[in-house]
Amino acid sequence: MSFDPASFPRGARHRAALELGFTQIPVLLVRGANPGKLLVVSANVHGDEYEGVRAIHETVAELEPAAMSGDLIAVPVANPPAFWNGTRTSPLDGANLARVFPGSPDGTPSEQIAWHLGHSVIAHADFYADLHSGGVKWRMPSMAGYDASDPRSKAGALAFGAPVVWGHPEVAPGRTVSFAKSRGIPFLYTEARGAGRIAADDLQMMKRGIRNLLRHLSILGGDLEQVPLELHLFGEGNVERGINSPARGFLMNAVDMFDRVSKGQLLGRLVDLFGETIVELRSPCDGIIGLRREFPVVEEGEPLFLIADETRG
Ligand SMILES: [Zn+2]
């Protein structure tokens, strides 16, 4: 099955569905009255992240195709099995959809979703934005992340209008964005507070961001809606700077998001059901807390903290 946006009439909103047998992926298409670039936006690759779902639904309803030169393809729920299950991973195969790209047309359910999202949707993009958040278990900055090796990616992230931007020197494999990169498509991804909720300012950030990207690509006219950049982070791409849980336990955090920490500083304690310390978690380096585990019951191997660097931009 393929999806060809050019087969839909200009100057109108359309809907389509990628039929995979075990599920159906919703695709919203806003075709501008005039030709131009094509922005692809997706949300809910992880089934417990909801800010982008609502931002897409509201933005698609508000756009006026007659005023657009170019197109928006938006996938509000990229992972319907995980969405209906309320979980980050898929109940069908236990997979994290953001680790199985480029997928396979006849693989596991998540591999099939990845393959069709990549080849039928993302492949059409001149720019791609994947809307994530902290989900139920983590807190992330309200931010836009970019590929530091691609100036087009950085320019898009700065145009998006998030209070925090985060540059990455490497793009790990298996992601939606690594598929985009493999096709030479510039991208950004977002994060937000998450917690299974939709904070009003995060919703505004994502709606503003989609519109700003449409302006950045000249699909919409008008000036970017700018917000002050509060923090510009840079990640070394070094897994040593992330702290994964060495055991199952109950996490007692000792630091907050954006705290500046030094090497050896106590970040939190993992305790057993009697409250006895299993392990003290200490920072492996100096930096800024860029991810914090919020849901306190943790399994061995789950990410607890990520330490970022601040950059001069
Ligand atoms: Zn996510």
Side-chain angles (χ1 to χ4, degrees):
M1 156 260 327
S2 64
F3 165 73
D4 179 12
S7 68
F8 291 82
R10 288 211 159 279
R13 253 181 291 273
H14 307 278
R15 62 171 68 176
L18 304 182
E19 297 284 355
L20 276 67
F22 63 90
T23 193
Q24 186 187 62
I25 301 172
V27 180
L28 299 167
L29 171 61
V30 188
R31 290 217 83 201
N34 299 301
K37 290 189 171 157
L38 192 152
L39 173 66
V40 172
V41 178
S42 58
N44 204 252
V45 163
H46 293 129
D48 63 347
E49 302 172 5
Y50 307 111
E51 296 90 335
V53 180
R54 181 162 171 178
I56 285 175
H57 283 317
E58 292 191 5
T59 302
V60 165
E62 289 164 8
L63 285 172
E64 294 176 23
M68 291 168 56
S69 299
D71 305 322
L72 170 67
I73 301 177
V75 178
V77 179
N79 194 351
F83 174 85
W84 290 117
N85 201 46
T87 50
R88 176 174 174 83
T89 54
S90 174
L92 302 180
D93 53 21
N96 178 346
L97 180 56
R99 299 294 180 273
V100 301
F101 275 79
S104 162
D106 46 23
T108 63
S110 292
E111 287 170 343
Q112 290 184 46
I113 290 174
W115 198 89
H116 288 290
L117 277 176
H119 293 78
S120 296
V121 180
I122 298 170
H124 294 293
D126 291 303
F127 194 98
Y128 172 56
D130 195 13
L131 307 179
H132 286 255
S133 79
V136 169
K137 293 186 173 179
W138 290 276
R139 166 88 193 273
M140 293 287 293
S142 300
M143 56 166 273
Y146 66 88
D147 173 6
S149 70
D150 186 343
R152 300 171 303 167
S153 176
K154 182 177 181 179
L158 291 170
F160 189 82
V164 177
V165 295
W166 192 337
H168 300 284
E170 294 165 20
V171 180
R175 270 73 169 175
T176 55
V177 297
S178 47
F179 176 84
K181 186 173 173 67
S182 75
R183 294 296 180 102
I185 298 165
F187 67 83
L188 65 77
Y189 74 94
T190 70
E191 298 290 352
R193 287 182 187 78
R197 292 171 172 77
I198 301 172
D201 58 342
D202 283 337
L203 175 62
Q204 288 313 115
M205 174 189 77
M206 292 199 182
K207 291 182 67 179
R208 178 177 66 235
I210 297 169
R211 297 187 81 94
N212 274 344
L213 283 177
L214 290 167
R215 295 183 184 109
H216 179 66
L217 297 168
S218 301
I219 298 169
L220 279 183
D223 295 330
L224 296 180
E225 190 184 335
Q226 297 285 12
V227 299
L229 184 59
E230 295 169 12
L231 191 60
H232 196 150
L233 297 172
F234 195 76
E236 295 289 353
N238 182 348
V239 292
E240 299 293 281
R241 298 169 75 82
I243 295 104
N244 292 343
S245 185
R248 169 184 253 195
F250 184 79
L251 178 66
M252 296 166 66
N253 277 320
V255 290
D256 207 348
M257 178 64 80
F258 302 130
D259 275 1
R260 284 167 169 78
V261 297
S262 51
K263 184 175 179 177
Q265 182 174 337
L266 184 70
L267 303 179
R269 289 190 300 127
L270 208 59
V271 304
D272 66 16
L273 302 195
F274 297 95
E276 294 294 326
T277 299
I278 300 169
V279 63
E280 289 185 339
L281 302 151
R282 294 187 176 276
S283 182
C285 55
D286 296 347
I288 297 173
I289 300 294
L291 171 150
R292 192 181 88 152
R293 173 76 172 204
E294 296 293 324
F295 194 74
V297 179
V298 302
E299 297 290 338
E300 181 180 349
E302 290 191 307
L304 302 182
F305 304 97
L306 205 57
I307 315 295
D309 287 327
E310 192 165 6
T311 177
R312 293 123 321 261

